[in-house]
Amino acid sequence: DVQLVESGGGLMQPGRSLRISCKASGFAFDEYAMHWVRQPPGKGLEWVAGIKWNSGSIGYADSVKGRFTISRDNAEKMLYFQMNSLRSDDTAIYYCVKDTGEEGAFDVWGQGTMVTVSS
Amino acid sequence: VVLTQTPLSSPVTLGQPASISCSSTHSLVHTDGSTYLSWLQQRPGQPPRLLLYKISNRFSGVPDRFSGSGAGTDFTLEISTVEAEDVGVYYCMQATYFPLSFGGGTRVEIK
């Protein structure tokens, strides 16, 4: 089965750092771009970062640029998201998402990991 | 690129059709000629699920009661006959430009 499993979420104080992870299985991880999409409680979806298959191209939403870093380890089939200088408005479910490639869509979503930033 | 969905909420009778619109501030036609507009469904308590890509192509396993149309800046998702399992929030998404963006969502509920 094609699967993405996130981990590492939790309750963090403002200004602290957190790294969340995503383990992929069931597909050729090293052939696809991957993304992080977040969803604040009760609100809509926000794309926050994406990385090409070979890490050669990386993009961020303005809301996280300079604070968050996306990375991947193709040998381990892992996607990472280092989140620094956390703020209360970073509170959200963070989804790990697989890109379809040529179709320009997101075809596999993890169950998400909840990150709560609060003092 | 800002995507605006209407309506915000759509109460529908079972067996009746539903229609959701997605309007973009910019044409979503890529320089390669493709239009990277997709639709996703999020059932309560679940992650989103891909329904349609490149305007009108149904993803694997998606029932044929879901269809998409449109071009340029205006797009529509139609459900020909709404079933109980279709309850949830529907999002359009564009991948023509960075940063990628989603519409605000349309809630489909049963009357």
Side-chain angles (χ1 to χ4, degrees), chain A residues 6 9 23-24 27 37 50-51 60-61 70 72 88 103 113 115 118:
Chain A
E6 302 93 337
K23 175 67 176 177
F27 67 98
V37 173
I51 184 169
Y60 299 97
I70 188 173
R72 64 190 296 163
S88 58
E103 294 82 3
T113 188
V115 174
S118 174

Side-chain angles (χ1 to χ4, degrees), chain A residues 52 99-105, chain B residues 27-37 54-55 94-98:
Chain A
K52 290 289 191 184
D99 197 304
T100 57
E102 292 181 353
E103 294 82 3
Chain B
S27 170
L28 297 184
V29 180
H30 194 275
T31 53
D32 67 8
S34 291
T35 300
Y36 297 109
L37 187 283
K54 290 171 77 172
I55 304 175
Q94 69 82 21
T96 297
Y97 304 100
F98 273 88

